[in-house]
Amino acid sequence: MLSICCASLSIWGWGGLGVVLFLITFGPFAIFYLAFYILCFIGGGFVVLLLFGKINSEKHLERCEHSYLPSTQTAILKVLEEIKSESRPIKIDRRLTGSSIIDEPLQQVIQFALRDYIQYWYYTLSDDETFLLEIRQTVQNALVEFSTRSKEVDWQPYFTTRLVDDFATHLRVFRKAQERLNEREDPKQRDAPDELLDSFFEAEVEMERKICRDVVCMSRKDEEGYLRDLCEVLLYLLLPPGDFHNKNMRYFLREVLARGVLLPLINQLSDPDYINQFVIWMIRDSSCNYEAFLNILKLTDKVAELEAVKDKVLEELQYLRSLDTGGDDINFIKNQINSLLFVKKVCETRIQRLQSGKEVDALKLAANFGKLCVIPLEHIIVHNIALQFFMDYMQHMGGQAILFFWLTVEGYRVTAQQQLEVLQSSQWDGKRQSSQTTKGLLRSAALGVYDQYLSEKASPRVEVDEAAVTRLAQKLNKEDPTPEIFDEIQKKVYDMMLRDERFYPSFKQHPLYVRMLAELDMLKEPSYRGSDDGDGESFNGSPTGSINLSLDDLSSGSVDESVQLHAFISDTGACNDHGKTYALYTITVVRKTSDGSEDIWKTYRRYSDFHDFHMRITEQFESLGPILKLPGKKTFNNMDREFLEKRKKDLNAYLQVLLNPEMVKACPMLIPYVYDFLENKAYSKGKGDFARKMDTFVNPLRSSMRNVSNAVKSLPDSLAEGVSKVSADMGRMSEKLGQDIKQSIFKVPPLIAKSDIDPEHCRVSAQLDDNVDDNIPLRVMLLLMDEVFDLKERNQWLRRNIKNLLQQLIKATSGDTINRKIVDHVDYMTSPEQVSDYVKRFRDSYWPNGILAETPPRRDKSLRMRTRVAAKTTLLGIMPDELKHIIGAETTRKGILRVFDMFQHQPLNRRLACVFLEGFLETLFPQYKFPELFVKLYSRSPRVLRYSQKLRSLHKR
């Protein structure tokens, strides 16, 4: 035992001594170096074993492969050798559509696409072109199938109905979203873009019910997924089964089509700046209307737009002031500087008002100041637009029966006169027509008017002098009715509307009257001639508060009849006054006396002076109206040199007719008026701006319907729809006329859907009745005008007049051939020549000069804002005065600006592009269930799920 202990002690002793000596010799860190060396030795041993084993294993597997696997058959080796030695090129048929003028540019597009999207990376992997040829062949097969289907489709309904319906429905949803925002009290919510988008897509899901495109239009990832799914469906329909079931090929083509073609195209078409530039390019032939430009600056609520215009004005001012010119150019530059300073003042005033939060509605401003133009009642009741507002007011005051009676009597008078003229002409022509039948029809119509408004049974009854009603009843019983039989009572009714404080006098103080002036473009604009601090905006009304439409008293004077007067326009120029540019005509006047002396002078007149002078003399001498023809106004391009030369020629012809000796002999009292107009002095306008505007607005109406009675001439065919000709049943016509005018005050859509669904919550096309005249132009114009100008808010009187006017316009322009012209135009748009032109434009835009176009840099904000202003100005400037006469100036402006605002939101533009694409595919593949497919593709929207749950909860209740 002792020996064992000694041995173990000696082992520990010697071991410890060795450790101590090791540490003393190599230091305290030697133990770590030793451990590291040991690990490296072990690791190196494993690596050597691994390499040795790998080499031996490969040699062993190679020996086993040759030892146990059967040898390759000789035929397979021969086939491989033949494939390697002989590579057959794939023959591709370059025919795609059957039209060479389309196939050639289309082949170039395919070649460029393969080069820039596939070849640049494929050649880094392989030199074999078989794959590229297969891709090209697959794409061509799809294009051939697409072309075949396109030829089988009738595109006319799509372009004339579906496309317009999609656009009008999109505009309806946008209008509803704007209305919801305007109902909110917080101004910040009304101006927030996100709030508008939310309101828009909420209105969309309420209309579509099962579809909402919010996720696709507002999320890039979801949009790409939607396009991938759609492209995969298209490939299934267009590719041969073998190519489609090749997943690699299908996925490859799907990505190229979705992300290389459709997505960039939608990005470009939905860009608001691109749309604004396109609008300007489309209307590039029309010159910028200065008045429209100022209106846009005064109406805009975007400070960024005003700042951009102001910066550009300052830049132009700096340039003009740097010019060192003399002579005639200095006057031109001064005029330009004055115009720019005026625009700068307008921008600064508008910016300050928007930033200070002192924005005031022009209508409220006018109503508060009370300085309004006064339109006589006689003009209100014969004007299309003014009558609508007066109707609304009379309904509000409970006096609509009085106005309806007056209108119905006008209709009776014209109808009676028409029938008597027909009877008289038939007697002159030797035709037999019973006068008793005509008188019986007139009596029936007169009794219908009496029973409806004046009898004890009438409801409501027109309260007038009972003695006059009694006399009328006696005449109806004893005498033959004449067109003038209601004149006595009609005059009393007119006097009642004119003098009763409840009606016309109070109407002039009502907000509806202010709105009427705005629609007639007779509401004065706020003045910008205030204080220098920019807060001097005030309202300029009529200087007297009323307008006298009668002619000014003119002193006749004594005129020597032996004097000969000649006048002609020798020159035309442009003049700038307070920022407003207008044409000025130089009239050279030559007066010769009997003693041979001659006086020559020049006077300067504007077109408005000619217009005022023409109004004065034609009212004073009615016989001159058919003889003297003053050239009409022009809304835009009215400062174009060619137009001014043409107007100069027409005005010269006007002066020659006016100064013709025969004219002077026939109308000697005209001479003082002519002398006053041609004298070398500032022309004193007898009519004033208001009178000329009244003439501008009323005369176009008078030319087609001299008053409301002439409008009622077409009632048997238009306003009183469904009623037979007057000669067949005059009594029914009169009764229907009264009922129709009564119902016209209610704001009901004219072409309502047959279902019980609210028309505002359905597509626009759902409101077209099958019984409506199937006239494509009329249907299209009604759809567009209803939604663009929101005519459903108008009463039926105005809506029916608009419809009748459109019908007359169509018949006057082309008659029944207009449908054929539209069909021909659609055929022209889809002709091989036009399709080839579309493909070439696509090729040149994506690959200019055969090189892939680079993505253009985003334009700076200032330039984009100025483009917005230019686009709005262009749209507002091309609107003709005739349209304003039909629906009103304010309604026209609001409608045009609503359409423009709709295109300034890129998500909404993407939504419209998706809608157009859906309609295109549904038209191209009518036999497939694309509507159900789109419901599934859009089913991921949370708004659809919430709306479905809401409907289910309502049904449970």
Side-chain angles (χ1 to χ4, degrees):
M1 185 71 180
L2 182 62
S3 61
I4 295 174
C5 292
C6 291
S8 60
L9 182 62
S10 62
I11 293 173
W12 283 105
W14 287 107
L17 180 61
V19 171
V20 171
L21 293 175
F22 179 82
L23 293 176
I24 292 172
T25 304
F26 298 102
F29 296 100
I31 186 70
F32 299 104
Y33 295 138
L34 180 62
F36 176 72
Y37 295 152
I38 294 172
L39 289 176
C40 290
F41 178 77
I42 296 172
F46 276 112
V47 171
V48 171
L49 291 174
L50 180 63
L51 292 176
F52 180 77
K54 180 177 181 296
I55 294 172
N56 289 337
S57 299
E58 289 178 351
K59 292 180 179 179
H60 178 72
L61 290 175
E62 188 176 355
R63 287 195 302 269
C64 292
E65 181 181 359
H66 291 288
S67 300
Y68 300 103
L69 293 178
S71 59
T72 305
Q73 297 181 7
T74 308
I76 296 177
L77 295 175
K78 188 175 182 180
V79 169
L80 291 175
E81 292 177 0
E82 290 181 359
I83 291 176
K84 292 180 180 179
S85 62
E86 182 181 357
S87 58
R88 294 183 179 179
I90 300 177
K91 293 183 179 180
I92 298 179
D93 189 356
R94 301 182 64 87
R95 293 176 298 178
L96 299 174
T97 63
S99 176
S100 59
I101 59 176
I102 300 177
D103 292 346
E104 181 179 353
L106 201 56
Q107 287 288 354
Q108 292 179 350
V109 170
I110 296 174
Q111 180 181 351
F112 292 154
L114 292 175
R115 181 195 66 190
D116 295 327
Y117 290 104
I118 300 176
Q119 291 180 3
Y120 82 96
W121 58 263
Y122 176 75
Y123 282 138
T124 62
L125 303 177
S126 174
D127 294 333
D128 188 6
E129 296 188 356
T130 305
F131 175 75
L132 298 177
L133 295 176
E134 291 288 349
I135 287 285
R136 188 180 188 117
Q137 184 64 49
T138 303
V139 172
Q140 292 193 173
N141 291 337
L143 289 175
V144 169
E145 181 66 21
F146 177 83
S147 174
T148 303
R149 290 184 179 272
S150 299
K151 295 176 182 178
E152 297 174 353
V153 174
D154 181 12
W155 291 104
Q156 295 164 11
Y158 173 75
F159 285 108
T160 57
T161 303
R162 176 64 187 266
L163 201 64
V164 177
D165 176 43
D166 288 339
F167 178 81
T169 303
H170 183 81
L171 182 60
R172 168 178 291 183
V173 179
F174 180 76
R175 177 174 52 81
K176 288 174 65 64
Q178 282 187 324
E179 292 173 356
R180 292 182 180 181
L181 284 183
N182 293 333
E183 293 173 357
R184 300 184 181 181
E185 298 180 356
D186 189 359
K188 295 182 179 179
Q189 291 184 352
R190 291 198 297 265
D191 298 335
D194 294 339
E195 295 293 333
L196 176 63
L197 296 179
D198 291 339
S199 300
F200 180 90
F201 288 112
E202 289 292 343
E204 181 192 27
V205 74
E206 292 176 3
M207 182 188 66
E208 299 280 0
R209 296 177 176 269
K210 296 181 180 181
I211 289 179
C212 186
R213 303 170 181 85
D214 54 345
V215 175
V216 172
C217 298
M218 301 177 67
S219 171
R220 178 65 178 267
K221 180 179 178 181
D222 290 293
E223 183 183 23
E224 290 180 358
Y226 164 78
L227 292 177
R228 287 192 185 99
D229 295 338
L230 194 60
C231 290
E232 193 154 353
V233 174
L234 289 177
L235 292 176
Y236 171 77
L237 298 175
L238 297 176
L239 292 181
D243 292 339
F244 178 78
H245 291 300
N246 185 343
K247 290 186 177 181
N248 294 332
M249 181 74 70
R250 183 171 80 242
Y251 293 159
F252 184 81
L253 290 178
R254 182 191 68 182
E255 291 299 316
V256 171
L257 185 60
R259 303 192 60 182
V261 179
L262 290 181
L263 190 59
L265 186 62
I266 292 176
N267 288 337
Q268 184 176 19
L269 295 180
S270 63
D271 183 13
D273 187 50
Y274 173 80
I275 295 175
N276 296 337
Q277 295 179 65
F278 184 75
V279 168
I280 297 173
W281 177 81
M282 286 289 293
I283 323 176
R284 60 190 181 278
D285 293 335
S286 64
S287 61
C288 182
N289 189 309
Y290 188 75
E291 182 180 358
F293 174 64
L294 290 180
N295 284 336
I296 291 299
L297 295 182
K298 297 172 186 178
L299 293 174
T300 183
D301 55 354
K302 304 293 183 183
V303 177
E305 294 180 1
L306 297 168
E307 291 284 359
V309 174
K310 178 184 172 183
D311 293 342
K312 188 63 176 178
V313 167
L314 293 176
E315 180 182 337
E316 291 294 326
L317 283 173
Q318 185 178 4
Y319 169 74
L320 290 175
R321 287 167 176 168
S322 67
L323 296 178
D324 185 13
T325 58
D328 296 336
D329 292 340
I330 190 65
N331 295 325
F332 176 75
I333 293 177
K334 285 183 178 180
N335 290 335
Q336 284 190 316
I337 291 176
N338 291 333
S339 299
L340 292 173
L341 289 174
F342 180 77
V343 173
K344 175 175 171 287
K345 183 67 174 177
V346 171
C347 293
E348 290 175 346
T349 305
R350 184 65 178 166
I351 291 172
Q352 184 174 358
R353 185 162 294 279
L354 291 173
Q355 292 178 342
S356 63
K358 297 180 180 180
E359 177 65 12
V360 180
D361 192 317
L363 298 183
K364 295 180 180 178
L365 188 67
N368 292 336
F369 275 77
K371 298 178 180 179
L372 303 174
C373 301
V374 176
I375 302 181
L377 180 62
E378 60 180 303
H379 286 146
I380 291 177
I381 57 180
V382 300
H383 194 281
N384 199 17
I385 299 172
L387 179 59
Q388 171 219 344
F389 290 96
F390 192 56
M391 274 185 174
D392 291 341
Y393 176 77
M394 293 295 284
Q395 182 204 20
H396 175 70
M397 300 302 297
Q400 62 268 32
I402 301 173
L403 179 60
F404 294 159
F405 170 76
W406 191 92
L407 295 173
T408 306
V409 169
E410 284 296 302
Y412 165 80
R413 175 187 290 107
V414 172
T415 307
Q417 291 174 350
Q418 191 179 34
Q419 289 302 303
L420 292 177
E421 290 174 0
V422 170
L423 177 63
Q424 186 176 8
S425 62
S426 64
Q427 292 176 350
W428 286 347
D429 295 340
K431 299 179 181 179
R432 295 182 179 180
Q433 181 172 343
S434 175
S435 61
Q436 296 299 325
T437 302
T438 302
K439 293 179 181 179
L441 292 174
L442 292 177
R443 183 182 300 278
S444 177
L447 288 175
V449 176
Y450 177 84
D451 293 339
Q452 192 166 0
Y453 292 101
L454 302 174
S455 66
E456 297 294 336
K457 302 177 182 179
S459 177
R461 186 171 184 266
V462 177
E463 300 296 336
V464 291
D465 184 12
E466 289 296 334
V469 175
T470 302
R471 288 194 297 272
L472 175 62
Q474 293 175 354
K475 288 182 180 179
L476 290 174
N477 292 330
K478 297 180 180 179
E479 302 176 6
D480 292 333
T482 62
E484 299 79 16
I485 194 169
F486 290 100
D487 282 4
E488 180 184 2
I489 297 181
Q490 187 185 26
K491 186 177 184 304
K492 292 180 180 295
V493 167
Y494 178 83
D495 291 339
M496 184 189 307
M497 291 190 293
L498 180 64
R499 295 182 172 82
D500 195 320
E501 287 297 328
R502 297 174 300 166
F503 304 137
Y504 176 67
S506 297
F507 175 62
K508 292 185 292 184
Q509 308 299 325
H510 197 271
L512 283 173
Y513 185 79
V514 181
R515 289 179 54 194
M516 180 191 72
L517 291 180
E519 293 291 355
L520 297 177
D521 207 16
M522 296 179 185
L523 192 62
K524 299 294 183 180
E525 293 289 340
S527 173
Y528 291 88
R529 300 179 184 176
S531 59
D532 294 335
D533 59 359
D535 196 22
E537 186 173 340
S538 61
F539 181 79
N540 288 339
S542 168
T544 61
S546 63
I547 298 295
N548 183 9
L549 293 180
S550 62
L551 285 171
D552 294 338
D553 294 332
L554 298 175
S555 56
S556 59
S558 58
V559 180
D560 188 357
E561 295 183 0
S562 62
V563 175
Q564 296 182 358
L565 198 65
H566 303 279
F568 61 93
I569 299 177
S570 57
D571 195 12
T572 305
C575 185
N576 186 289
D577 183 21
H578 297 291
K580 187 172 183 180
T581 305
Y582 53 85
L584 198 65
Y585 300 92
T586 304
I587 305 177
T588 301
V589 184
V590 181
R591 181 175 59 184
K592 296 181 180 180
T593 59
S594 57
D595 59 0
S597 62
E598 185 177 277
D599 293 332
I600 302 177
W601 69 87
K602 292 184 178 181
T603 187
Y604 302 90
R605 294 290 182 259
R606 297 175 54 180
Y607 174 80
S608 59
D609 300 331
F610 277 95
H611 190 211
D612 182 271
F613 171 72
H614 181 76
M615 289 172 58
R616 295 170 68 177
I617 62 175
T618 52
E619 287 188 10
Q620 187 72 13
F621 310 101
E622 295 184 358
S623 59
L624 298 180
I627 302 174
L628 288 174
K629 299 297 181 182
L630 185 70
K633 283 189 174 183
K634 188 175 183 182
T635 306
F636 54 92
N637 258 0
N638 51 12
M639 295 299 296
D640 182 71
R641 172 55 59 181
E642 294 183 1
F643 171 74
L644 291 179
E645 289 297 327
K646 181 178 182 302
R647 176 173 279 182
K648 171 186 172 182
K649 180 180 179 181
D650 294 340
L651 290 177
N652 264 325
Y654 178 85
L655 288 175
Q656 301 314 310
V657 174
L658 184 68
L659 298 176
N660 188 286
E662 298 298 328
M663 175 77 73
V664 175
K665 291 181 181 179
C667 191
M669 296 301 296
L670 178 66
I671 298 177
Y673 293 88
V674 176
Y675 268 95
D676 181 70
F677 180 71
L678 295 178
E679 273 193 72
N680 186 14
K681 65 176 184 178
Y683 180 66
S684 177
K685 292 184 172 65
K687 286 293 185 179
D689 291 340
F690 174 82
R692 289 193 303 277
K693 285 190 175 183
M694 282 297 298
D695 179 76
T696 302
F697 279 98
V698 175
N699 276 345
L701 194 66
R702 288 175 177 171
S703 64
S704 59
M705 43 183 182
R706 181 61 57 178
N707 46 35
V708 176
S709 60
N710 285 350
V712 183
K713 281 186 178 182
S714 60
L715 282 175
D717 297 321
S718 54
L719 186 58
E721 293 179 1
V723 183
S724 58
K725 295 290 184 181
V726 178
S727 58
D729 195 343
M730 174 95 51
R732 282 171 51 197
M733 186 282 300
S734 176
E735 180 181 0
K736 177 63 179 176
L737 171 61
Q739 294 175 356
D740 186 78
I741 296 179
K742 273 188 176 183
Q743 296 173 358
S744 66
I745 200 68
F746 299 108
K747 297 178 176 66
V748 180
L751 304 172
I752 58 174
K754 297 180 180 180
S755 63
D756 296 331
I757 301 176
D758 184 2
E760 286 291 300
H761 291 83
C762 63
R763 294 183 64 87
V764 174
S765 59
Q767 296 179 242
L768 288 175
D769 196 341
D770 296 336
N771 296 325
V772 177
D773 180 27
D774 189 18
N775 190 303
I776 294 176
L778 183 59
R779 289 161 66 96
V780 171
M781 281 189 280
L782 284 176
L783 283 172
L784 285 178
M785 292 188 71
D786 266 352
E787 296 306 321
V788 172
F789 302 108
D790 196 14
L791 298 181
K792 289 176 289 300
E793 294 299 319
R794 302 301 186 91
N795 58 44
Q796 285 293 81
W797 175 267
L798 177 66
R799 292 179 60 81
R800 291 179 185 274
N801 280 338
I802 291 174
K803 180 180 177 181
N804 295 337
L805 188 58
L806 290 175
Q807 287 175 329
Q808 294 173 7
L809 179 63
I810 291 172
K811 292 180 180 179
T813 54
S814 303
D816 296 334
T817 62
I818 193 167
N819 282 336
R820 180 174 53 80
K821 289 190 175 183
I822 286 185
V823 171
D824 293 342
H825 185 66
V826 172
D827 290 339
Y828 170 74
M829 291 173 57
T830 56
S831 64
E833 293 79 8
Q834 285 300 109
V835 174
S836 174
D837 186 60
Y838 303 150
V839 177
K840 289 178 181 178
R841 291 185 181 182
F842 176 80
R843 177 199 62 192
D844 295 338
S845 61
Y846 269 75
W847 293 277
N849 298 322
I851 301 174
L852 182 64
E854 297 181 358
T855 303
R858 184 172 176 83
R859 305 199 306 167
D860 63 274
K861 184 178 180 180
S862 177
L863 184 57
R864 286 185 279 116
M865 290 298 104
R866 290 200 299 271
T867 305
R868 281 170 58 103
V869 175
K872 282 194 286 188
T873 302
T874 307
L875 285 175
L876 203 60
I878 65 169
M879 289 298 105
D881 286 339
E882 290 75 15
L883 183 62
K884 298 177 183 179
H885 299 162
I886 298 173
I887 62 178
E890 186 70 14
T891 300
T892 302
R893 279 193 292 267
K894 287 183 178 180
I896 296 301
L897 294 180
R898 181 187 295 116
V899 174
F900 177 84
D901 291 339
M902 181 184 69
F903 285 114
Q904 304 312 304
H905 304 275
Q906 190 163 13
L908 303 188
N909 296 337
R910 303 181 90 88
R911 187 259 178 195
L912 185 60
C914 291
V915 170
F916 286 160
L917 180 60
E918 293 165 15
F920 177 80
L921 294 178
E922 291 178 15
T923 306
L924 186 63
F925 302 99
Q927 68 273 30
Y928 298 106
K929 300 179 180 180
F930 264 98
E932 298 180 7
L933 173 65
F934 290 128
V935 171
K936 294 180 181 179
L937 292 179
Y938 293 119
S939 61
R940 289 171 288 188
S941 171
R943 282 189 171 88
V944 175
L945 299 177
R946 289 198 300 266
Y947 187 76
S948 301
Q949 294 174 358
K950 179 182 177 181
L951 289 181
R952 285 195 294 268
S953 61
L954 291 176
H955 287 314
K956 290 180 181 179
R957 295 178 185 177

